[in-house]
Amino acid sequence: MTRPLPPVLLIHSFDAYAGSQRIARTLVTTLAAAGADARVRLGFGGRGFLSELPGVRPDIRCDHILTRKLLYPLWAMLALLPTAWSAARGRIIWANTIHVVPPALLAILLFPHRIVVHLHEATFPWPFRWLLRLARWRGATIVCVSADQARRIGIDATILPNPVSQPPVDLPSRMDRFLFIGTTQPIKGFMLFVAVVRLLNGTDLRPTAYLSDEDRQDRALVEAARAAGIEVIFGERSPEVMYRDGFLLLMGTDSRLVSETFSLVAAEAVAAMVPVGGAGATVLPEVLGESLAFNEASRDPLTIANAVRQLHADPERYARLRRACAERRLYFSEKMFSQRLRQLLQVMEN
């Protein structure tokens, strides 16, 4: 008979439509589906993945970023005692992101065996580095989303790869869309994608960029993309739509500006049978395995364009990549995530 899972309180500070909040929502729904009593304490929110969960109400309903940052120390202090009380009553405290260590600090000091610190970042300011060392010293469970992330932080951690939804069926695909998914921020490499597209004349690939909310994008960069022949689509969140007819996703994240710790977008692409080309993110080989088409660290547009052309002209290699996608997507399936999560929590209970 399967042992019941312990009750869990997930704490998150700021809600948004971002990767760490999305994983938090999946974690809560996975625990609930497994029969666990999973509750959420959300510091600041109103719009975001966690706010969409039934019954979740933020402590402070606020979407203004500066205001939330100013009020964050006060919220952390007010959450200290309730969080420790929940741990004392037998709940696992799941501190989602490094920013939840301060409100969980008293629980970490008193009940470290009941604390999970789930890191989604690879770099953070020195006060949080000090608090992480304290949590490790006390014996809290530290979770990273990849071994590459743990290595760059310099810690021993439990690895819990992020999950992505698997399509119910693999739909017929024209396999002719060259994809970018993200924003126009420099860290995402949007202009690298535009530069590569400008060098792909003569192929039948259809370059398409899916960007988040239109009002948050650089209008000049959007117009430059359209001038290069790229179809720009705003606000789409459905994987079934974004990866339809995909030939290749370009992950343009600039590792000089940001540390990619997993890449949900790349994992979603593989789950949809769309191979991925990278631009130097060190975590991609670990996450994608044989389904990674290339990972060009030089970020040279001509080199990347040539890699895309060569793949487009080699149907046998492309078929191998698609078969690798079919195998690799099981690595971050929601079923596998549920099994890993159950194992982690049961080890903590022993």
Side-chain angles (χ1 to χ4, degrees), residues 303-316:
T303 303
I304 294 175
N306 286 337
V308 176
R309 285 181 179 276
Q310 290 168 9
L311 180 60
H312 189 254
D314 190 345
E316 291 186 5

Side-chain angles (χ1 to χ4, degrees), residues 23 27 30 37 49 53 83 105 149 184 195 224 253 256:
I23 296 306
L27 190 146
T30 299
D37 178 7
F49 285 121
L53 285 171
T83 302
L105 185 57
Q149 177 197 17
T184 58
T253 306
R256 299 167 300 182

Side-chain angles (χ1 to χ4, degrees), residues 259-279:
S259 297
E260 188 76 72
T261 57
F262 185 82
S263 182
L264 284 169
V265 171
E268 277 185 341
V270 168
M273 299 289 287
V274 178
V276 175

Side-chain angles (χ1 to χ4, degrees), residues 121-138:
E121 317 89 340
T123 60
F124 24 82
W126 72 262
F128 292 103
R129 292 199 300 270
W130 183 86
L131 290 172
L132 179 60
R133 287 197 296 268
L134 176 62
R136 289 179 59 209
W137 174 73
R138 287 296 297 153

Side-chain angles (χ1 to χ4, degrees), residues 26 52 56 58 71 86 88 95 101 107 120 136 145 153 190 192 205 210 238-239 246 252 264-265 310 313 315 337 344:
T26 300
E52 293 175 350
V56 173
L71 291 176
S86 292
V101 173
H120 299 266
R136 289 179 59 209
V145 297
I153 297 173
F190 179 68
L192 175 63
L205 294 175
Y210 285 99
S238 169
L264 284 169
V265 171
Q310 290 168 9
F337 179 76
L344 187 156

Side-chain angles (χ1 to χ4, degrees), residues 47-338:
R47 290 190 309 163
F49 285 121
L50 283 170
S51 298
E52 293 175 350
L53 285 171
V56 173
R57 299 290 181 270
D59 292 335
I60 302 174
R61 187 172 294 276
C62 175
D63 289 322
H64 190 267
I65 295 176
L66 180 58
T67 302
R68 294 191 305 190
K69 289 181 177 179
L70 292 173
L71 291 176
Y72 165 77
L74 175 62
W75 171 76
M77 288 189 292
L78 292 176
L80 277 171
L81 284 176
T83 302
W85 178 241
S86 292
R89 297 182 65 186
R91 283 192 178 272
I92 297 291
I93 306 300
W94 195 284
N96 195 54
T97 81
I98 191 67
H99 302 102
V100 188
V101 173
L105 185 57
L106 185 58
I108 288 170
L109 293 174
L110 297 177
F111 311 102
H113 61 289
R114 307 206 68 80
I115 309 300
V116 176
V117 179
H118 192 175
L119 300 174
H120 299 266
E121 317 89 340
T123 60
F124 24 82
W126 72 262
F128 292 103
R129 292 199 300 270
W130 183 86
L131 290 172
L132 179 60
R133 287 197 296 268
L134 176 62
R136 289 179 59 209
W137 174 73
R138 287 296 297 153
T141 298
I142 310 299
V143 171
C144 285
V145 297
S146 66
D148 181 76
Q149 177 197 17
R151 177 186 58 77
R152 283 183 282 140
I153 297 173
I155 60 173
D156 294 323
T158 299
I159 307 303
L160 183 65
N162 290 330
V164 297
S165 298
Q166 309 290 306
V169 293
D170 292 325
L171 299 175
S173 174
R174 292 169 58 181
M175 295 178 287
D176 64 352
R177 296 173 77 211
F178 182 43
L179 297 171
F180 174 90
I181 297 175
T183 71
T184 58
Q185 291 176 293
I187 59 174
K188 296 298 185 180
F190 179 68
M191 287 311 295
L192 175 63
F193 176 73
V194 175
V196 171
V197 168
R198 287 173 177 154
L199 297 169
L200 287 178
N201 294 332
T203 70
D204 62 357
L205 294 175
R206 295 182 292 149
T208 308
Y210 285 99
L211 304 178
S212 59
D213 299 347
E214 184 172 1
D215 58 356
R216 298 184 182 183
Q217 311 306 320
D218 186 312
R219 294 178 184 271
L221 298 184
V222 170
E223 290 308 313
R226 285 173 171 156
I230 298 170
E231 182 183 9
V232 179
I233 301 171
F234 297 103
E236 181 60 61
R237 291 169 54 192
S238 169
E240 290 81 4
V241 173
M242 292 189 293
Y243 300 104
R244 183 181 300 151
D245 295 329
F247 169 75
L248 185 77
L249 171 76
L250 180 64
M251 277 297 305
T253 306
D254 192 336
S255 57
R256 299 167 300 182
L257 301 177
V258 65
S259 297
E260 188 76 72
T261 57
F262 185 82
S263 182
L264 284 169
V265 171
E268 277 185 341
V270 168
M273 299 289 287
V274 178
V276 175
T282 59
V283 75
L284 290 181
E286 175 190 345
V287 174
L288 303 184
E290 296 299 318
S291 63
L292 179 61
F294 59 82
N295 194 26
E296 181 50 56
S298 76
R299 302 181 62 80
D300 174 54
L302 181 58
T303 303
I304 294 175
N306 286 337
V308 176
R309 285 181 179 276
Q310 290 168 9
L311 180 60
H312 189 254
D314 190 345
E316 291 186 5
R317 180 179 167 226
Y318 188 74
R320 290 196 300 272
L321 283 171
R322 293 257 300 177
R323 289 194 294 271
C325 288
E327 296 176 3
R328 190 61 177 176
R329 62 184 175 182
L330 301 177
Y331 173 76
F332 30 73
S333 68
E334 291 175 332
K335 179 180 179 181
M336 184 64 72
F337 179 76
S338 179

